[in-house]
Amino acid sequence: MLVKEGIIASEQVAIGKVKLMNKQEVTIDTRKISENETENEISKFNNALSEYKSDLENSNVDNDTQKEVINAHLNMLDDPFLSETVISKINELQTSDKALDDTIKEMVSMMEALDNEYMKERASDYKDIGQQLIYRLKGIKYEKLDSLEPNTIIVSKELTPYETSIIDKDHVVAFLMDLGGKTAHTSIIAQTLGIACLVGMKDITSNVTDGQTVIVDSFKGKCIIDPDEDVLKEYTELKSKLDEEKDRLEQIRFEQAITTDDKNIDVVANIGNIEDLEKGLESGAEGVGLFRTEFLYMNNEHFPTEEEQFEYYKKVVEILDGKPVIIRTLDIGGDKELPYYKFPQEDNPFLGWRALRFCFDMPEVFNSQIRAILRASAFGKIRIMLPMVISVEEIEKALGIIEENKKALRSENIDFDDNIEVGIMVETPASVIVAEDLIKYVDFFSIGTNDLTQYVLASDRGNQKISNLYNTYNPAVLRAIKKVIDISHAHDKWTGMCGGFAGDTKATKLLLGMGLDEFSAAAASLPKIKDTIRRTSYKEAQKYAEDILKLERTKEIEDRIFNDK
Ligand code: PEP
Ligand code: MG
């Protein structure tokens, strides 16, 4: 029995058998070819290209994240620059594999040199494409993972986006990787599929063999290779308890979130695209509390047009079939960049030109989004939400812009919901301090705890060195939340929460007791939130929250909450 640790990329317990991916090393033929070989080398390259294309076109994937990879690769293969460069190198008497290898290396280093996350990702796609083409060029038998035995644990140095995209997702139960981080492609796919994943394990590939039994406990960041009988028994029991709990939650997921004393709470989903929406609905979401529209802008080659956005928002409301959606206007800048627009360098991007500030300076971008949202509002229940608000002036300005767009649509005889509600994200200290004023101008608040925590505590959410300080259980943040909820209620309005804290099921009872009206979180946590609400009395939760809000230290609050039975 051997225990190995890794970075937690997706939490789950899995028991299965190892499938070790040992990738064959490829030797590049560096000799100079003769002129009469060039034609043959060019046709070898073209064959590899069409073989890979047809593999991509025929891959059987049904999930958006996977489809995105396939489409990105197809587009890149169609880019004439790739073939032209390879062919010109072959004409300079290089072998086809050397020509391809050099071309890919040049493209990768060009992209990695750019200070742009999107381009860096494209660089890894090119590496992936290069590898797949070389395998086909050299006729190397490539082991696909599209048909696996049940309960397979994939162990590899790393998996490329293509490899992860074609994986047999019905039979894989965990990924263990030598390399990679939380945001690696494999990690994201594992999270989407809800299976265990540990990355950055350094040498897991040299510690397992094919067919070995392994337990993965990624809640604890470890895996147990060749477990003893009693450990296996312990984990088999734990796994069946987890499965039972999962089944139980699945059964109640479409029930309403009503407390034992009849208070009804809205439980809705955070989404960034249609796939998230579908997952949210499958998990029992009663609507959408946050549609992060920036993904429409980030996964694009230009600012999405009004028409493109309209079609997308319309599709969202049609899928929702009468359930409400809160569309947040573009929240770009900060850490979120665009591949086709260069943001100026800023010393403090989180305190800089982002969200509404950016939109106000880019009227064409903002107007086209507002028009698209308004037009889609004729097809379902849409609410608009403004991010990063700090003042009444900003709300007035945004409301003015919405009004002008309504006027224009009216004059063009285009339908929209004239009573569309407008709310704001409460995620800056200023918006908490003047919440009393802001609520008069809007229909609802939604608390963005991810940013609110970092701004209230002056603690960067991405800085490891102070990660102990970034904590939403800090009394300053909790009291800010309470104040916002109370103010909205005093004005007969409501407050939701769409920051990550709403999805922290340990905090559900506390937030319920504070009077939160709507919980908006990722699909995975919705059934558990509902379950907690359904087992709790609102009255009791109020008393519980009242006691907790009196505590002065984060540690006391955490101890009280984490030990509550
Ligand atoms: C938040 O800040 O809590 C939030 C929901 O917005 P984002 O995470 O997109 O900044
Ligand atoms: Mg935010």
Side-chain angles (χ1 to χ4, degrees):
M1 186 165 103
L2 174 68
V3 177
K4 300 289 295 177
E5 296 189 342
I7 300 167
I8 303 169
S10 174
E11 294 181 346
Q12 198 48 262
V13 165
I15 304 172
K17 299 250 189 253
V18 168
K19 168 87 194 113
L20 188 59
M21 289 273 297
N22 265 329
K23 287 188 211 162
Q24 211 170 317
E25 287 297 321
V26 180
T27 334
I28 301 295
D29 184 355
T30 53
R31 86 193 148 89
K32 271 247 175 286
I33 56 170
S34 61
E35 291 220 357
N36 52 18
E37 283 175 282
T38 52
E39 204 176 312
N40 187 32
E41 291 297 304
I42 292 173
S43 84
K44 264 164 68 183
F45 168 69
N46 283 334
N47 288 343
L49 203 65
S50 33
E51 196 186 317
Y52 185 35
K53 263 195 195 173
S54 99
D55 282 352
L56 288 168
E57 278 157 2
N58 295 323
S59 38
N60 184 20
V61 299
D62 56 6
N63 131 342
D64 275 3
T65 321
Q66 293 174 313
K67 275 187 210 152
E68 262 170 35
V69 174
I70 306 274
N71 289 336
H73 282 207
L74 279 169
N75 285 338
M76 287 172 175
L77 291 177
D78 281 338
D79 179 359
F81 183 74
L82 174 70
S83 339
E84 281 165 15
T85 318
V86 174
I87 290 170
S88 88
K89 283 183 196 289
I90 296 177
N91 284 329
E92 285 161 19
L93 306 182
Q94 287 191 4
T95 60
S96 50
D97 48 323
K98 172 92 167 84
L100 174 66
D101 193 51
D102 282 359
T103 307
I104 294 286
K105 280 186 181 141
E106 283 164 20
M107 290 173 98
V108 166
S109 68
M110 216 156 66
M111 278 177 221
E112 281 179 342
L114 297 171
D115 187 21
N116 179 321
E117 273 311 308
Y118 177 82
M119 285 306 181
K120 283 187 179 145
E121 251 179 60
R122 291 289 80 82
S124 82
D125 278 323
Y126 269 110
K127 277 190 210 162
D128 199 357
I129 286 177
Q131 191 186 68
Q132 293 302 324
L133 288 175
I134 290 269
Y135 283 152
R136 286 163 179 79
L137 247 180
K138 298 190 75 84
I140 292 174
K141 192 158 164 11
Y142 170 69
E143 194 172 20
K144 287 190 189 167
L145 300 173
D146 58 354
S147 164
L148 299 167
E149 294 289 316
N151 298 319
T152 297
I153 295 178
I154 302 283
V155 182
S156 178
K157 224 173 148 99
E158 67 180 330
L159 288 180
T160 67
Y162 174 67
E163 289 161 340
T164 333
S165 291
I166 56 161
I167 214 131
D168 173 3
K169 62 180 180 4
D170 295 332
H171 294 132
V172 61
V173 291
F175 292 116
L176 302 175
M177 303 284 130
D178 281 347
L179 306 173
K182 276 183 194 231
T183 54
H185 209 81
T186 315
S187 311
I188 293 166
I189 293 277
Q191 289 154 17
T192 321
L193 299 178
I195 64 175
C197 179
L198 293 175
V199 293
M201 299 191 79
K202 298 192 177 85
D203 56 0
I204 186 68
T205 47
S206 10
N207 282 284
V208 293
T209 50
D210 255 339
Q212 226 170 359
T213 299
V214 171
I215 296 171
V216 183
D217 181 351
S218 50
F219 290 106
K220 297 204 174 124
K222 65 174 186 184
C223 75
I224 307 161
I225 303 162
D226 266 342
D228 292 345
E229 222 163 272
D230 45 345
V231 176
L232 190 58
K233 185 161 171 270
E234 183 195 323
Y235 266 99
T236 310
E237 280 167 15
L238 174 63
K239 173 100 183 73
S240 79
K241 266 202 202 128
L242 289 172
D243 289 347
E244 262 171 43
E245 171 73 354
K246 204 171 144 220
D247 284 350
R248 198 181 59 75
L249 290 177
E250 256 181 48
Q251 308 260 324
I252 63 108
R253 69 194 198 279
F254 295 121
E255 302 288 332
Q256 279 185 305
I258 303 181
T259 61
T260 53
D261 46 358
D262 283 337
K263 184 171 168 66
N264 199 346
I265 306 292
D266 291 328
V267 177
V268 289
N270 284 355
I271 67 164
N273 55 36
I274 303 258
E275 192 188 0
D276 294 345
L277 171 60
E278 281 162 352
K279 278 191 148 318
L281 290 173
E282 276 165 32
S283 305
E286 294 155 349
V288 170
L290 168 63
F291 176 8
R292 288 186 163 99
T293 55
E294 54 271 19
F295 295 109
L296 272 177
Y297 291 73
M298 287 158 78
N299 299 327
N300 213 324
E301 260 120 48
H302 53 86
F303 282 104
T305 62
E306 176 189 327
E307 210 51 38
E308 282 169 346
Q309 293 188 68
F310 165 66
E311 289 299 334
Y312 206 86
Y313 302 149
K314 181 165 167 262
K315 197 161 165 200
V316 167
V317 288
E318 280 170 356
I319 294 174
L320 276 163
D321 195 19
K323 296 189 172 94
V325 51
I326 298 180
I327 302 185
R328 176 170 78 182
T329 61
L330 181 59
D331 183 2
I332 206 75
D335 59 339
K336 297 174 201 149
E337 298 181 355
L338 294 173
Y340 46 86
Y341 183 84
K342 180 117 189 74
F343 281 86
Q345 195 71 25
E346 293 181 305
D347 285 342
N348 292 300
F350 272 117
L351 304 179
W353 195 50
R354 58 174 290 200
L356 267 193
R357 304 158 186 193
F358 171 86
C359 288
F360 286 155
D361 290 344
M362 304 283 278
E364 275 176 34
V365 173
F366 198 38
N367 280 320
S368 68
Q369 182 171 40
I370 298 292
R371 263 180 76 98
I373 299 175
L374 286 172
R375 284 173 57 198
S377 73
F379 297 86
K381 176 76 187 157
I382 294 184
R383 300 185 173 109
I384 298 178
M385 178 153 74
L386 309 169
M388 278 289 289
V389 170
I390 59 166
S391 66
V392 165
E393 291 94 314
E394 283 175 340
I395 299 179
E396 282 179 328
K397 185 162 179 172
L399 290 177
I401 293 169
I402 295 170
E403 209 38 62
E404 273 170 30
N405 282 288
K406 281 186 177 180
K407 216 192 264 170
L409 289 174
R410 246 180 246 121
S411 70
E412 295 163 47
N413 278 326
I414 299 177
D415 279 349
F416 61 92
D417 173 9
D418 212 354
N419 298 315
I420 193 162
E421 290 172 28
V422 181
I424 59 162
M425 303 254 329
V426 177
E427 54 183 344
T428 62
S431 62
V432 177
I433 295 165
V434 296
E436 189 94 55
D437 302 334
L438 305 185
I439 194 68
K440 293 185 225 150
Y441 299 87
V442 294
D443 298 299
F444 63 91
F445 284 153
S446 183
I447 303 176
T449 48
N450 307 340
D451 278 319
L452 186 64
T453 304
Q454 79 166 343
Y455 295 136
V456 164
L457 301 177
S459 304
D460 182 345
R461 72 198 215 192
N463 185 340
Q464 282 301 320
K465 197 141 181 74
I466 50 160
S467 61
N468 59 324
L469 296 180
Y470 179 89
N471 189 336
T472 308
Y473 288 103
N474 182 300
V477 186
L478 295 183
R479 289 183 210 174
I481 294 171
K482 177 71 173 140
K483 176 180 159 168
V484 172
I485 298 172
D486 286 348
I487 288 174
S488 70
H489 291 173
H491 287 79
D492 290 328
K493 301 208 174 146
W494 57 274
T495 296
M497 179 179 286
C498 57
F501 201 52
D504 177 351
T505 51
K506 295 188 292 304
T508 306
K509 183 170 168 186
L510 171 68
L511 293 170
L512 172 70
M514 283 175 161
L516 192 71
D517 302 284
E518 176 230 53
F519 290 68
S520 189
S525 47
L526 302 183
K528 179 81 180 158
I529 296 172
K530 279 192 177 177
D531 186 53
T532 309
I533 294 170
R534 288 166 56 81
R535 289 158 170 266
T536 310
S537 117
Y538 178 52
K539 227 172 171 177
E540 192 194 300
Q542 275 181 305
K543 174 78 184 70
Y544 168 82
E546 205 176 290
D547 290 347
I548 287 172
L549 285 166
K550 284 184 197 137
L551 299 173
E552 295 176 354
R553 294 170 188 81
T554 310
K555 175 87 174 55
E556 290 169 326
I557 295 174
E558 287 184 332
D559 284 348
R560 173 85 169 77
I561 291 176
F562 300 167
N563 297 321
D564 183 53
K565 283 283 168 275

